[in-house]
C-alpha cells in the first residue's frame, strides 16, 4: 500500500517503474485489451476543487481496470465537510468504503493530513498551490515520449510561476536526471516564492528567472505554459492586472526549435492562441491523454498490483 502525496517521495527507480507501467497501460488501451486488475476494488474520488481532467481520467482509469467508483465531485458543498467535518474524519469514513482514495483540496497539506489516518492508499490530486504529483508524472511521461530522453532537458515555465503546482511537482522529477536547465518566466508579481527558490539554490539547480519570453524561446526543449490561477488571488484587482501577462501566439512559436514541444496542464484560459493547436509541437492534448495511462498505472502501483 502506497500513498502518492509529493513528487519528492520518488526515487529514480520508482519513476522508471511507473513510466514502464504507464507504457504498458497505453499499449493495452490501444490494443483494447486492458487487464481487469482492479476487479472488485472501489476507488473514491473526492474533489473539493473543480476538475475536468484529473477526476474524469482517474474515474476512467478505474473503470477500465474493472474497479467501481464512489465520488463527490463538489465535496466542499456536497459532502459533510460543508457541515464542518474534518478531513481526517472524512478520510476515516472513506476507509470504511473504498480500497483507494483520490483527493483534491484547495488547502496545502490537507491531502497529507487525510493520508495520516488512512490505512488505504491516498493519492493527492492537487492540494492548493503545493503539489499535483500525478500531473507531474504524466508530464514526465509526455516529455520522455516526445523527446525520447529525460537527460539534458531545458524547460521554461511561463505565467503563474508563483502558484503553479504542476511546476513545483515536475521540477523534483526532472532533477532525477542530469543536465536539466529551468527558466521561470513570469511578471514580477508572480515570481517564484522564496522558499522554492531556496530549495532550488540548495539543490544546486541550474535556473534563470526572467520576464522575457522572447529571450528563452530559442533555447528550450519544452515550453510549459501555465494559467494565471484566479482562485489563488485574494484581491481580484491584482488578478486583473496580471491575468493576460503571456499569450502564446504564432510569432512566438516560430522562434522555438523545430523539435521543441509546447505543454500546458490545462485548462487554458488565455495563454495559448488556439491556432497553435494545429502545430505538431503543440503537445498539450497528447499530454492530457497520457494522464489516463499514467493514472491507470498509478492506481495499480498504489495497490501493489
Ligand atoms: N490539469 C488538471 O489538473 O486539470 P483539471 O483541473 O481539469 O483536473
Amino acid at each position: 500500500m502506497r500513498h502518492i502525496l509529493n513528487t519528492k517521495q520518488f526515487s529514480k527507480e520508482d519513476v522508471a517503474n511507473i513510466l514502464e507501467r504507464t507504457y504498458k497501460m497505453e499499449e493495452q488501451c490501444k490494443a483494447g485489451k486492458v487487464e481487469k486488475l482492479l476487479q472488485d476494488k472501489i476507488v473514491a474520488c473526492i474533489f473539493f476543487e473543480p476538475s475536468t481532467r484529473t477526476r474524469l481520467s482517474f474515474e476512467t482509469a478505474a473503470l477500465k481496470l474493472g474497479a467501481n467508483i464512489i465520488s463527490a465531485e463538489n465535496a466542499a458543498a456536497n459532502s459533510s465537510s460543508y457541515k464542518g467535518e474534518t478531513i481526517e474524519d472524512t478520510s476515516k469514513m472513506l476507509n470504511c468504503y473504498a480500497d483507494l482514495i483520490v483527493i483534491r483540496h484547495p488547502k496545502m497539506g490537507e491531502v497529507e493530513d487525510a493520508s495520516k489516518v488512512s490505512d488505504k492508499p491516498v493519492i493527492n490530486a492537487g492540494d492548493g498551490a503545493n503539489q499535483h504529483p500525478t500531473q507531474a508524472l504524466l508530464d514526465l511521461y509526455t516529455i520522455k515520449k516526445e523527446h525520447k530522453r529525460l537527460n539534458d532537458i531545458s524547460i521554461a515555465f511561463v505565467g503563474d510561476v508563483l502558484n503553479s503546482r504542476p511546476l513545483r511537482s515536475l521540477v523534483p522529477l526532472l532533477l532525477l536526471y542530469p543536465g536539466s536547465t529551468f527558466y521561470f518566466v513570469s511578471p514580477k508579481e508572480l515570481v517564484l516564492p522564496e522558499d522554492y527558490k531556496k530549495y532550488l539554490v540548495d539543490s544546486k539547480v541550474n535556473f534563470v528567472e526572467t520576464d522575457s519570453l522572447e529571450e528563452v524561446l530559442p533555447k528550450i526543449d519544452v515550453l510549459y505554459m501555465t494559467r494565471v490561477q484566479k482562485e489563488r488571488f485574494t484581491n481580484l484587482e491584482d488578478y486583473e492586472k496580471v491575468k493576460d501577462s503571456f499569450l502564446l501566439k504564432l510569432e512566438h512559436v516560430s522562434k522555438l526549435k523545430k523539435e521543441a514541444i509546447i505543454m500546458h496542464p490545462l485548462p487554458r484560459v488565455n495563454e495559448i492562441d488556439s491556432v497553435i493547436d494545429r502545430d505538431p509541437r503543440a503537445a498539450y492534448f497528447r499530454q492530457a491523454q497520457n494522464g489516463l495511462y499514467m493514472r491507470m498505472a498509478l492506481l495499480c502501483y498504489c495497490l501493489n498490483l
Side-chain angles (χ1 to χ4, degrees):
M1 192 279 276
R2 300 150 158 153
H3 302 307
I4 295 181
L5 301 171
N6 188 318
T7 49
K8 288 184 190 162
Q9 77 186 65
F10 295 116
S11 68
K12 197 168 175 179
E13 197 185 349
D14 295 331
V15 173
N17 174 354
I18 291 168
L19 294 178
E20 194 185 319
R21 283 163 180 254
T22 305
Y23 178 73
K24 285 188 184 146
M25 290 300 172
E26 179 171 356
E27 293 289 292
Q28 288 188 17
C29 283
K30 287 182 172 163
K33 289 184 184 157
V34 178
E35 271 183 89
K36 303 293 178 202
L37 293 170
L38 264 61
Q39 204 145 36
D40 302 325
K41 301 285 184 203
I42 294 180
V43 173
C45 290
I46 311 298
F47 279 59
F48 293 86
E49 267 191 339
S51 166
T52 296
R53 276 146 293 275
T54 311
R55 187 173 68 81
L56 296 179
S57 63
F58 262 119
E59 295 194 1
T60 307
L63 291 170
K64 277 188 176 286
L65 290 161
N68 290 302
I69 296 157
I70 54 172
S71 69
E73 66 174 67
N74 185 4
N78 294 337
S79 76
S80 284
S81 154
Y82 183 76
K83 305 174 202 161
E85 187 163 56
T86 63
I87 194 70
E88 288 85 354
D89 283 2
T90 303
S91 179
K92 284 179 193 166
M93 287 301 97
L94 294 170
N95 264 255
C96 301
Y97 316 135
D99 299 289
L100 185 149
I101 303 160
V102 181
I103 305 177
R104 170 173 286 187
H105 204 285
K107 200 168 153 204
M108 198 180 281
E110 204 79 348
V111 182
E112 191 172 343
D113 289 347
S115 75
K116 285 179 187 154
V117 295
S118 179
D119 295 326
K120 307 287 172 61
V122 172
I123 299 181
N124 181 359
D127 64 324
N130 183 33
Q131 279 278 314
H132 193 351
T134 67
Q135 176 70 49
L137 285 161
L138 76 89
D139 290 346
L140 196 75
Y141 184 70
T142 302
I143 294 170
K144 181 154 189 223
K145 239 172 105 176
E146 302 273 337
H147 277 299
K148 313 279 181 263
R149 69 176 206 276
L150 287 168
N151 291 353
D152 302 314
I153 293 292
S154 287
I155 180 168
F157 291 95
V158 180
D160 193 348
V161 162
L162 173 66
N163 294 304
S164 172
R165 57 193 181 197
L167 175 160
R168 269 174 231 236
S169 312
L170 181 54
V171 169
L173 292 182
L174 282 170
L175 288 178
L176 294 172
Y177 304 88
S180 307
T181 303
F182 299 90
Y183 297 91
F184 300 107
V185 186
S186 70
K188 65 178 186 324
E189 294 85 351
L190 297 175
V191 293
L192 283 177
E194 281 307 318
D195 61 332
Y196 207 77
K197 215 173 345 180
K198 183 173 181 322
Y199 156 71
L200 295 175
V201 172
D202 291 348
S203 311
K204 300 189 175 23
V205 174
N206 188 17
F207 77 98
V208 175
E209 291 182 278
T210 175
D211 60 2
S212 168
L213 177 59
E214 310 276 336
E215 180 189 300
V216 304
L217 288 171
K219 301 178 186 169
I220 53 177
D221 306 303
V222 179
L223 176 61
Y224 197 110
M225 300 299 294
T226 66
R227 175 178 64 92
V228 177
Q229 308 224 342
K230 187 176 182 182
E231 63 273 33
R232 311 282 174 230
F233 284 74
T234 44
N235 181 347
L236 279 185
E237 277 177 25
D238 292 342
Y239 168 73
E240 290 296 325
K241 274 187 225 154
V242 292
K243 71 179 174 135
D244 294 325
S245 298
F246 293 99
L247 167 60
L248 193 70
K249 297 192 177 142
L250 279 178
E251 70 221 43
H252 296 116
V253 172
S254 67
K255 297 193 173 98
L256 282 170
K257 291 181 197 167
K258 220 166 58 234
E259 67 279 13
I261 56 167
I262 305 163
M263 296 176 68
H264 191 309
L266 305 177
R268 65 174 155 182
V269 180
N270 197 23
E271 303 84 50
I272 303 179
D273 191 329
S274 61
V275 296
I276 293 169
D277 298 357
R278 290 194 290 274
D279 189 304
R281 291 171 291 183
Y284 28 93
F285 292 114
R286 299 194 291 275
Q287 178 185 356
Q289 173 73 63
N290 290 335
L292 171 63
Y293 312 133
M294 175 53 70
R295 289 175 176 128
M296 289 171 75
L298 292 176
L299 291 174
C300 297
Y301 173 83
C302 286
L303 288 164
N304 262 327
L305 293 170

